[in-house]
């Protein structure tokens, strides 16, 4: 299929399932801003609140607050609600309407292979929600209801994007037309998978029960410095070459975080810090993290002082999103034979 038939359009989402982390910022949001500012694509960014209730029950007040805080985070990192479309998922019902159709396209076997499902459902899959299992079909609908061609995400979402492509391809094949684009994942940068500060084999997550495992965009300078100081490392000095980090996941993680924050290559970090012990490197990293994150934290808290303005931005964004999604859903209904009068 010629991708050129689809206008270049970016979609990505973040769940209001907790506060924003350094992983969300470096793995996803930094690139959201680059893609917005490049001006080559229309950019659509979503607070996926319907995904946030799949794993655990969310206290309604907290969910509302997290959604507003996420919106404040998007704006504080540089998303302009005029240039990009910024809204929360539940205000655009076309997402869940298309998700139902995709529930009927995706196969149980495909969904059962999703590693996020296995990780999040854990040993007690019988007790997990049906929504957690169906999550990737809703994610495919989030993307494809806009005919989005590019999706910037962290490495952990790669498999869900492959599923999105499979769903689009099966729909196109089943109905004999190239209706949905085969979306390209955009997974780039030094920190596509920021790891948990206490366990370098697990990714940093906003929903992890332990706050020590992550840096939140709302943490104070003292909290950031303390979490980096206490991050798990090893007693060896930083090596000269990246190959020296291969079996040292915690060390590699801190080097990658430094590189992503400083906008330099991981090798350039080693060129500057080879031979340093973690006691020293952690101080440099904490200074850099505070320098880059403090302005974001300040701006988020300023925006949170006016929740009514945030709600207005989300409402306006949802109207603009619906203008794109509604006709695509209507065409989908026509293709599959839903009668409209
Ligand atoms: P949850 O624990 O509730 O799943 P999360 O921290 O994984 O929260 P999501 O809302 O699921 O955040 O993901 C939002 C975006 O952030 C996605 O593009 C995802 O790939 C990216 N992302 C999440 N965690 C990391 C990480 N540790 N490193 C890099 N990118 C990440
Ligand atoms: Mg996640």
């Amino acid at each position: 299929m010629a991708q050129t038939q689809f206008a270049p359009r970016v979609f990505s989402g973040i769940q209001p399932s907790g506060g924003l982390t350094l992983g969300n910022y470096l793995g996803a949001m930094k690139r959201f801003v680059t893609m917005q500012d490049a001006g080559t694509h229309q950019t659509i960014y979503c607070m996926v609140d319907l995904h946030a209730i799949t794993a655990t029950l969310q206290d309604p007040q907290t969910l509302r607050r997290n959604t507003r805080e996420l919106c404040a985070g998007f704006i504080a990192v540089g998303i302009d609600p005029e240039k990009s479309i910024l809204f929360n998922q539940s205000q655009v019902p076309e997402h869940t309407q298309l998700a139902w159709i995709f529930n009927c396209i995706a196969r149980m076997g495909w969904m059962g292979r999703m590693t996020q499902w296995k990780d999040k459902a854990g040993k007690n899959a019988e007790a997990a929600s049906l929504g957690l299992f169906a999550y990737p079909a809703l994610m495919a609908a989030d993307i494809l209801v806009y005919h989005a061609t590019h999706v910037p995400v962290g490495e952990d979402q790669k498999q869900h994007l492959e599923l999105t492509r499979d769903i689009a391809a099966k729909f196109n094949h089943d109905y004999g037309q190239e209706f949905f684009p085969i979306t390209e994942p955009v997974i780039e940068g030094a920190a596509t998978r920021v790891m948990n500060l206490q366990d370098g084999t697990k990714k940093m997550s906003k929903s992890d029960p332990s706050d020590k495992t992550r840096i939140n965009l709302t943490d104070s300078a003292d909290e950031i410095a303390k979490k980096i100081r206490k991050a798990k490392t090893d007693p060896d000095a930083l090596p000269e070459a990246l190959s020296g980090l291969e079996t040292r996941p915690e060390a590699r993680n801190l080097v990658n975080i430094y590189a992503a924050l400083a906008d330099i290559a991981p090798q350039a970090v080693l060129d500057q810090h080879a031979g340093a012990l973690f006691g020293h490197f952690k101080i440099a990293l904490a200074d850099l993290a505070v320098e880059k994150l403090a302005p974001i934290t300040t701006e988020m808290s300023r925006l949170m002082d006016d929740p009514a303005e945030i709600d207005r931005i989300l409402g306006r964004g949802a109207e603009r999103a619906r203008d794109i999604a509604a006709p695509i859903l209507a065409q989908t209904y026509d293709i599959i034979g839903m009668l409209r009068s």
Side-chain angles (χ1 to χ4, degrees):
M1 173 175 49
Q3 282 287 95
T4 45
Q5 132 190 26
F6 298 99
R9 191 176 276 157
V10 167
F11 175 93
S12 199
I14 298 190
Q15 304 183 63
S17 50
L20 281 166
T21 72
L22 184 66
N24 301 138
Y25 175 57
L26 296 177
M29 298 177 95
K30 256 187 108 176
R31 214 147 31 259
F32 295 176
V33 180
T34 318
M35 296 187 94
Q36 165 193 271
D37 293 345
T40 47
H41 293 64
Q42 180 177 36
T43 45
I44 306 176
Y45 298 121
C46 185
M47 279 120 268
V48 286
D49 45 10
L50 295 166
H51 287 276
I53 58 170
T54 53
T56 45
L57 182 74
Q58 302 279 354
D59 167 64
Q61 289 283 55
T62 312
L63 181 56
R64 271 189 282 272
R65 188 190 152 80
N66 283 343
T67 307
R68 291 191 180 113
E69 196 178 84
L70 182 51
C71 182
F74 270 106
I75 297 170
V77 302
I79 297 303
D80 175 344
E82 296 299 319
K83 281 194 206 161
S84 293
I85 298 179
L86 194 60
F87 69 104
N88 61 311
Q89 184 189 28
S90 59
Q91 294 206 68
V92 180
E94 284 78 7
H95 289 233
T96 41
Q97 289 176 282
L98 186 61
W100 178 258
I101 295 164
F102 288 171
N103 284 346
C104 303
I105 297 284
R107 307 288 93 187
M108 293 290 284
W110 302 359
M111 309 301 279
R113 282 193 285 277
M114 295 294 115
T115 55
Q116 178 174 291
W117 155 251
K118 291 185 214 164
D119 289 346
K120 289 198 174 181
K123 291 194 175 60
N124 199 5
E126 290 284 311
S129 76
L130 179 56
L132 187 65
F133 188 71
Y135 171 121
L138 176 57
M139 179 168 157
D142 298 334
I143 296 164
L144 294 173
V145 84
Y146 300 100
H147 277 182
T149 53
H150 293 82
V151 182
V153 281
E155 165 74 33
D156 62 300
Q157 290 299 326
K158 191 167 179 234
Q159 197 187 24
H160 287 165
L161 285 180
E162 280 159 10
L163 184 99
T164 300
R165 293 162 66 95
D166 289 344
I167 289 176
K170 179 160 163 43
F171 183 98
N172 291 346
H173 178 263
D174 288 352
Y175 291 101
Q177 42 188 302
E178 304 303 334
F179 182 66
F180 287 114
I182 307 300
T183 302
E184 290 293 335
V186 182
I187 302 174
E188 286 169 351
T192 55
R193 188 174 182 85
V194 175
M195 306 311 279
N196 178 311
L197 295 179
Q198 297 297 323
D199 178 351
T201 65
K202 278 167 61 180
K203 86 165 189 76
M204 184 181 285
S205 283
K206 67 172 105 70
S207 64
D208 193 293
S210 164
D211 194 57
K212 303 190 289 209
T213 61
R214 61 175 163 259
I215 290 170
N216 304 297
L217 295 194
T218 48
D219 283 346
S220 68
D222 283 351
E223 283 167 323
I224 293 174
K226 189 168 166 210
K227 285 176 178 176
I228 292 179
R229 196 165 64 240
K230 298 207 159 176
K232 189 177 166 203
T233 35
D234 55 44
D236 295 341
L238 280 172
E240 285 182 4
L242 290 174
S243 55
L245 293 172
E246 264 163 25
T247 54
R248 300 168 65 187
E250 285 87 9
R252 190 174 56 215
N253 188 37
L254 296 189
V255 169
N256 285 345
I257 291 175
Y258 192 107
L261 283 170
D263 280 316
I264 57 177
Q267 182 57 53
V269 179
L270 295 184
D271 293 345
Q272 290 169 13
H273 295 276
L277 293 172
F278 276 98
H280 279 103
F281 182 67
K282 282 176 166 182
I283 294 170
L285 178 58
D287 286 349
L288 177 64
V290 170
E291 179 199 321
K292 298 287 180 180
L293 300 184
I296 299 175
T297 313
T298 308
E299 181 63 0
M300 280 175 78
S301 100
R302 190 187 70 76
L303 292 162
M304 283 299 278
D305 286 342
D306 191 355
E309 174 61 11
I310 291 184
D311 293 359
R312 264 193 301 279
I313 290 171
L314 293 177
R316 173 80 191 107
E319 278 174 26
R320 291 169 65 201
R322 283 197 89 172
D323 287 344
I324 303 172
I328 292 177
L329 181 76
Q331 277 175 282
T332 313
Y333 274 5
D334 282 345
I335 290 171
I336 66 177
M338 298 290 152
L339 198 57
R340 280 192 294 155
S341 46

